[in-house]
Amino acid sequence: PPPPAVERSAAAPGLWYEKAAPGDRRLGKVVTIAKSKKFRDNHGKVLLEGHRLIKDALEAGAVPQTLFFSTVGHLKLLPEAEIKRASLVKVKFEDIKTWSDLVTPQGLVGIFSKPDPAKMSYPAAQLTNSLPLLLICDNIRDPGNLGTILRSAAGAGCEKVLLTKGCVDPWEPKVLRAGMGAHFRVPIIANLDWESVPTNLPAGIQVCVADNDDPDAPAGSASLPRGAGSAPDSPKAPVKSSPKAAPEHEDEEGAAGSPELAAQHYYEDWAQTPVAVVIGGETHGLSPAALRLAASTGGRRLVIPVVPGVDSLNSAIAAGILLFEGKRQLLWRHKQEEDRQKLPVPG
């Protein structure tokens, strides 16, 4: 039997929920604390808001702890078997409005156990369209950029996304909003140091890095490097990265110098199977460790040429361009292989 002060939902008779007092400050405090990185790290829980995100999380197998809702109708939009596992608390919409980060709150907020990529059930369509294409985010510190990058990674069919320790927490509310459900469509391995990155990559992978300096640009027109090394003199010649790429890492990485990497335009052939792309943040750029990893795998710098005088591309835009070009090349390569197999055998 349900405990006292708990009501049965008329809309969903199998659900029991607690009815909170209007303006309950304890609940507001719980939600506020749940938004903090300290809470996420110490308690292994994340805060999700809105029907789409919560539904995606439930369908992917994320475990709900508490769901706050303003009307029982909100529960009808969610899988009943899954939300039965959570504590359901009915609150006033005005309270959710106070807690919400959304411009137009939907009246539904949930606290979930932090999802484990190894235990998630990603959508069948996502798995069917997955490619041997990986993304490594290095020093992406803007929440909106990271969320947009994750959305592009899911859209391109990335196999997984790796985030280094210099990146913003992917479970921050702003990242979740910009990701539009990508967190529950593609595996995200976060908080990696560079020593552990290779253990999360397939054997034989080639790692390429994004570069924003065009090797064909006229002398003196190159913009200051952001998220990449210095501009090469020629697209065919190996180029040495500038120490300005990530000055804050010099003490950590040592001043041994960065390896040489050949540079080429992004639309030229580079997507071998499997392949990973490293995207650096706009402020701090690529870590020397990213360049060393790329060099050790025979990777290249991928240049997206822009009109002279135009500043470098936003990191999220650059990621989208490179990921979808990588997808195009991998699919073309796959088609070529299929066509070869269909050819009649001589004799």
Side-chain angles (χ1 to χ4, degrees), residues 231-248:
D233 295 322
S234 161
K236 296 179 183 177
V239 295
K240 197 162 187 177
S241 69
S242 164
K244 293 179 182 177
E248 73 277 15

Side-chain angles (χ1 to χ4, degrees), residues 35-331:
K35 292 179 184 178
S36 70
K37 187 176 188 300
K38 186 177 180 181
F39 179 86
R40 293 192 293 271
D41 291 343
N42 292 346
H43 298 279
K45 295 187 174 78
V46 296
L47 184 78
L48 306 179
E49 183 175 0
H51 294 108
R52 167 75 184 273
L53 195 57
I54 288 176
K55 188 167 185 277
D56 285 349
L58 291 169
E59 289 177 348
V63 180
Q65 302 287 325
T66 307
L67 290 178
F68 301 99
F69 60 96
S70 58
T71 64
V72 175
H74 291 309
L75 302 181
K76 292 171 67 178
L77 302 173
L78 303 174
E80 186 175 319
E82 300 301 325
I83 62 176
K84 271 184 176 180
R85 304 160 70 184
S87 298
L88 305 177
V89 184
K90 188 172 185 289
V91 298
K92 291 288 186 182
F93 181 71
E94 287 70 23
D95 290 332
I96 289 186
K97 244 176 120 175
T98 303
W99 308 338
S100 178
D101 288 323
L102 300 181
V103 177
T104 52
Q106 298 176 20
L108 185 64
V109 176
I111 297 175
F112 284 70
S113 298
K114 186 181 285 188
D116 179 353
K119 297 177 181 177
M120 288 288 97
S121 302
Y122 297 103
Q126 195 75 34
L127 297 174
T128 302
N129 291 280
S130 178
L131 293 166
L133 175 64
L134 288 83
L135 175 66
I136 304 172
C137 293
D138 181 24
N139 289 312
I140 303 293
R141 302 188 183 185
D142 180 88
N145 277 348
L146 181 58
T148 303
I149 287 169
L150 295 175
R151 189 176 177 184
S152 293
C158 279
E159 186 177 303
K160 72 168 78 165
V161 178
L162 307 182
L163 307 182
T164 65
K165 284 186 174 178
C167 293
V168 65
D169 182 4
W171 299 104
E172 183 176 305
K174 288 181 181 177
V175 182
L176 284 162
R177 285 204 302 278
M180 295 290 289
H183 291 71
F184 303 106
R185 300 190 71 84
V186 61
I188 301 168
I189 316 297
N191 204 34
L192 293 172
D193 53 43
W194 278 101
E195 289 71 26
S196 60
V197 167
T199 63
N200 287 276
L201 296 174
I205 194 169
Q206 186 177 69
V207 178
C208 295
V209 300
D211 195 336
N212 62 0
D213 289 310
D214 188 352
D216 291 342
S221 66
S223 61
L224 288 174
R226 266 191 215 158
S230 61
D233 295 322
S234 161
K236 296 179 183 177
V239 295
K240 197 162 187 177
S241 69
S242 164
K244 293 179 182 177
E248 73 277 15
H249 294 283
E250 285 181 3
D251 292 338
E252 302 168 20
E253 303 290 344
S258 298
E260 294 184 345
L261 286 177
Q264 66 175 69
H265 288 132
Y266 79 98
Y267 46 76
E268 296 169 337
D269 188 29
W270 55 270
Q272 306 297 322
T273 303
V275 66
V277 176
V278 183
I279 297 290
E282 294 179 54
T283 303
H284 299 275
L286 291 167
S287 304
L291 300 170
R292 288 198 290 271
L293 177 61
S296 71
T297 65
R300 293 172 171 265
R301 293 181 182 276
L302 304 178
V303 179
I304 303 174
V306 295
V307 172
V310 175
D311 198 4
S312 58
L313 291 177
N314 169 278
S315 59
I317 297 294
I321 291 171
L322 294 179
L323 289 176
F324 279 90
E325 174 60 19
K327 175 180 182 176
R328 185 194 68 79
Q329 291 187 21
L330 288 171
L331 291 177

